[in-house]
Amino acid sequence: MSMKVLLLAEHDGNTLNPSTARALACANGLGGEVHVVVFAASAGDVANAAAQLEGVAKVLTVERTENGAPLAAVLAPQIAALADGYDAVLAPSTTFGKDVLPRAAALLGAPQVSDIMEVVDAGARTFRRPMYAGNAIVDVKVPEGVKIIGTVRTASFQGAADGTSAAPIEAVSVAAELPSHSEYVGLASQESERPDLQSAPRVVSGGRGVGSEENFKVIFSLADKLGAAVGASRAAVDAGYVPNDMQVGQTGKIIAPDLYLAIGISGAIQHVTGIKDAGIIVAINKDPEAPIFEIADYGLVGDLFKLLPELEEAIG
Amino acid sequence: MKILVTVKRVIDYNVRVQVRRDGSGVETDGVKMSVNPFDEIAVEEALRLREAGVASEVVVASIGSADCQQQLRTALAMGADRAILVRADDVDMQPLYAARTLLKLVEKEAPGLVITGKQAIDDDCNQTGQMLAALWGRPQATFASELKVDGDSATTVREVDAGLETIRVQLPAVITTDLRLNEPRFVKMPDIMKAKRKPLEEIALADLAVEAPPGLEALTYAPPPQRSRGEMLEDVPALVSALKSRGVL
Ligand SMILES: Cc1cc2nc3c(=O)[nH]c(=O)nc-3n(C[C@H](O)[C@H](O)[C@H](O)COP(=O)(O)OP(=O)(O)OC[C@H]3O[C@@H](n4cnc5c(N)ncnc54)[C@H](O)[C@@H]3O)c2cc1C
């Protein structure tokens, strides 16, 4: 029996977030028919982008003004109502998916598999996920007769590419009573011309060793030279050097760039868990004993303020 | 207003967690246990709301074996007024089960606010607060880095991937904490003594008549694939040529 899979699209009202294509790669691994659902005030461009992705059988749009903001309390009852016709419901394990999907799962009375890294065996309903900040990897089975509900650890999957033809887009209306107890006020985000941290092939991160907000310009400068996104350790964020959305790690973003440079970062497990799937890790730290060197492919011991300008120069 | 705060007993965050050789779980023998760090932040936030006159009582709750008393005592020593331990020995207490159990406590205690950690650092599920809010039919504000209670609503700044999002929710509501919400206070010796005399009520899980939900079956545990220690290089030119040879520059 082939599974019917519902995948929740993540978007900002205008563009489809790349995490959706990555979660789709996981959904395709279930070996069934995948429908992507877009909740929006107006789904146009986002639905079109989703319809292009390889492996999407259909895009559903649920358009109503209340869906103009990503409020979990508003979206969850609609997801739960739509889920009726599906064997599995997936969402990316971003802050959006983490917020909304457990709420839908509870309404459905089903357990959720958080942070799926791998579909071990779709027929056996088994999935692999990390626990203990990635220090243990567990295989779990969703019991027979229970809907599969899961968030997808996007760093574990390559984003599905665009397919050769566009999937049909169907507007649906969902009968669900929506609460009025939650109100979206707004989003403060740093407008940046730099690549997106979660999907960039190269990332340069700075830690407490960078020392100040002002000093962080050496990190930005190297990143610009490399066309890289910029990340940070929690210590750097807490100290106010950079905003919270740049945090990499257990409680920040889990990323898998081809090249990761950790600059003035000691390498605490909570940070390292966010970069385990990176291709090549480079560490620059003045302390030769820093734990980051234990997982780095290449290490340089020295003062970052001396080494970074040299590195920029050498890259040319 | 009463605030209910959840407190989970977990392996201390400084412990290097080891998977048992037979793959049956992780080593817990002789391992230091603590309050889940996000829950500690939840307790701190509740205490600050009480100190600001917004809340009148802070009740902390845990679900698990008798050992959880230690973590509840820590929360009491921080300043919580009383504690409830739902005794669930040898129960696989997954998030949905915990949420259904907490709902029973919420019905009993009628809090104006429930504050939970955004995730427990053992299973890293990040589900229980959201699930409780769903079952309770009340708003949720997850990953909070700022919380302002104003009469019968709360304004929360949430740490989301795109930046900082603000939402306003009517009370009662469930808030889940992120790391930057506050810095928990240190517990002082006299407070530990005082905490011993604070009320800690035990309720048997069976007495709450919680319907056990379906759960995930954990099959095997394995250590993560290890990244091995790479090369220490002499200087920047060595790094650049190494990266070039690997095709990433
Ligand atoms: C529940 C929980 C969750 C957490 N989640 C995260 C998370 O998601 N992400 C995260 O990053 N952390 C997280 N942490 C925090 C983590 O434990 C560490 O405290 C943090 O990663 C340390 O950041 P850091 O390496 O920048 O700072 P430090 O540990 O202070 O290291 C600074 C490094 O800079 C080096 N240095 C200093 N000056 C120079 C110089 N001039 N040149 C070169 N090197 C220099 C030092 O040698 C040192 O190694 C979490 C903690 C907890 C308890």
Side-chain angles (χ1 to χ4, degrees), chain A residues 278-292:
Chain A
I280 292 177
I281 297 176
V282 174
I284 296 183
N285 197 302
K286 69 176 182 191
D287 172 10
E289 305 295 323
I292 189 77

Side-chain angles (χ1 to χ4, degrees), chain A residues 72 94-95 98-99 102-103 106 109-112 114-115 126 129 131-141 143 146 181-189 198 202 226 234 237-238 244-245 247 250-251 253 269-270 276 278-281 293-301 307 310-311 314, chain B residues 11 13 16-17 19 26 38 96 100 118 121-127 130-131 133-135 137-140 142-143 158-170 179-180 214-222 224 227-236 239-240 242-243 246 248-249:
Chain A
T94 52
T95 50
K98 287 175 180 172
D99 184 40
R103 190 166 178 122
Q112 175 181 297
S114 290
D115 305 316
T126 49
R129 64 172 302 264
M131 298 171 69
Y132 296 95
N135 284 303
I137 307 296
V138 62
D139 285 0
V140 296
K141 181 183 167 69
V146 174
H181 51 45
S182 302
E183 180 196 340
Y184 181 83
V185 179
L187 173 73
S189 72
Q198 265 159 316
R202 293 173 175 179
L226 288 167
R234 177 188 166 195
V237 174
D238 282 0
N244 69 290
D245 50 356
Q247 181 176 319
Q250 181 188 17
T251 47
K253 289 177 173 136
I269 42 175
Q270 295 89 1
K276 275 196 172 136
I280 292 177
I281 297 176
F293 289 126
E294 275 160 45
I295 59 121
D297 299 274
Y298 300 109
L300 265 187
V301 177
L307 295 175
E310 275 180 47
L311 183 56
Chain B
I11 294 181
Y13 83 96
R16 215 167 238 292
V17 171
V19 175
V26 303
F38 292 100
L96 185 55
R100 286 188 181 177
K118 77 165 178 180
I121 61 162
D122 48 6
D123 60 26
D124 280 334
C125 276
N126 198 327
Q127 301 174 10
Q130 295 88 313
M131 288 181 158
L135 301 176
R138 295 305 308 169
Q140 69 188 47
T142 53
F143 326 144
R158 307 179 53 234
E159 295 205 6
V160 297
D161 291 335
L164 295 170
E165 180 188 289
T166 304
I167 68 172
R168 195 174 303 121
V169 296
Q170 279 162 30
L179 290 170
R180 277 171 284 274
L216 303 175
E217 187 191 343
L219 303 174
T220 49
Y221 292 77
R227 291 191 75 101
S228 50
R229 196 186 169 90
E231 255 178 279
M232 296 304 283
L233 302 172
E234 271 310 305
D235 52 19
V236 165
L239 175 61
V240 170
L243 294 179
R246 297 285 294 269
V248 288
L249 258 195

Side-chain angles (χ1 to χ4, degrees), chain B residues 85-98:
Chain B
L85 171 57
V86 177
R87 273 298 288 276
D89 297 28
D90 304 311
V91 180
D92 183 10
M93 190 50 66
Q94 294 179 25
L96 185 55
Y97 204 169

Side-chain angles (χ1 to χ4, degrees), chain A residues 208 233-234 247-248 251 264 266 270-271 285-286 303-304:
Chain A
R208 201 201 311 262
S233 71
R234 177 188 166 195
Q247 181 176 319
V248 171
T251 47
S266 61
Q270 295 89 1
H271 185 81
N285 197 302
K286 69 176 182 191
D303 184 353
L304 69 94

Side-chain angles (χ1 to χ4, degrees), chain A:
Chain A
M1 193 198 70
S2 161
M3 266 195 225
K4 283 189 78 184
V5 184
L6 184 68
L7 172 66
L8 193 55
E10 172 160 359
H11 63 89
D12 61 4
N14 302 310
T15 34
L16 185 67
N17 188 291
S19 63
T20 312
R22 289 175 177 252
L24 173 62
C26 175
N28 286 337
L30 285 172
E33 180 179 324
V34 180
H35 295 180
V36 176
V37 59
V38 180
F39 292 95
S42 132
D45 291 347
V46 174
N48 287 333
Q52 286 298 333
L53 294 172
E54 181 83 58
V56 175
K58 199 196 280 184
V59 175
L60 308 176
T61 60
V62 187
E63 295 183 312
R64 51 195 291 180
T65 38
E66 293 94 329
N67 291 345
L71 282 169
V74 169
L75 298 180
Q78 301 179 70
I79 296 167
L82 256 186
D84 251 353
Y86 293 88
D87 306 297
V89 183
L90 298 180
S93 190
T94 52
T95 50
F96 167 71
K98 287 175 180 172
D99 184 40
V100 69
L101 205 64
R103 190 166 178 122
L107 296 176
L108 291 163
Q112 175 181 297
V113 187
S114 290
D115 305 316
I116 298 172
M117 306 166 72
E118 194 182 325
V119 179
V120 180
D121 182 339
R125 311 162 67 80
T126 49
F127 301 89
R128 189 159 290 164
R129 64 172 302 264
M131 298 171 69
Y132 296 95
N135 284 303
I137 307 296
V138 62
D139 285 0
V140 296
K141 181 183 167 69
V142 179
E144 299 291 340
V146 174
K147 231 180 262 304
I148 294 170
I149 303 198
T151 58
V152 178
R153 183 178 182 275
T154 51
S156 301
F157 295 87
Q158 297 284 341
D162 279 356
T164 42
S165 61
I169 299 174
E170 187 183 312
V172 294
S173 63
V174 178
E177 211 177 303
L178 303 189
S180 57
H181 51 45
S182 302
E183 180 196 340
Y184 181 83
V185 179
L187 173 73
S189 72
Q190 230 70 6
E191 278 303 322
S192 164
E193 297 294 302
R194 292 194 173 80
D196 170 51
L197 177 57
Q198 265 159 316
S199 48
R202 293 173 175 179
V203 173
V204 182
S205 280
R208 201 201 311 262
V210 178
S212 69
E213 184 181 358
E214 166 72 12
N215 287 352
F216 233 82
K217 65 173 188 278
V218 301
I219 303 291
F220 286 113
S221 170
L222 176 64
D224 289 346
K225 199 110 215 185
L226 288 167
V230 178
S233 71
R234 177 188 166 195
V237 174
D238 282 0
Y241 304 167
V242 289
N244 69 290
D245 50 356
M246 286 170 53
Q247 181 176 319
V248 171
Q250 181 188 17
T251 47
K253 289 177 173 136
I254 311 277
I255 58 174
D258 301 331
L259 176 63
Y260 185 80
L261 285 88
I263 316 288
I265 292 178
S266 61
I269 42 175
Q270 295 89 1
H271 185 81
V272 168
T273 193
I275 54 169
K276 275 196 172 136
D277 295 323
I280 292 177
I281 297 176
V282 174
I284 296 183
N285 197 302
K286 69 176 182 191
D287 172 10
E289 305 295 323
I292 189 77
F293 289 126
E294 275 160 45
I295 59 121
D297 299 274
Y298 300 109
L300 265 187
V301 177
D303 184 353
L304 69 94
F305 298 105
K306 181 175 162 290
L307 295 175
L308 290 204
E310 275 180 47
L311 183 56
E312 261 193 56
E313 172 100 28
I315 299 167

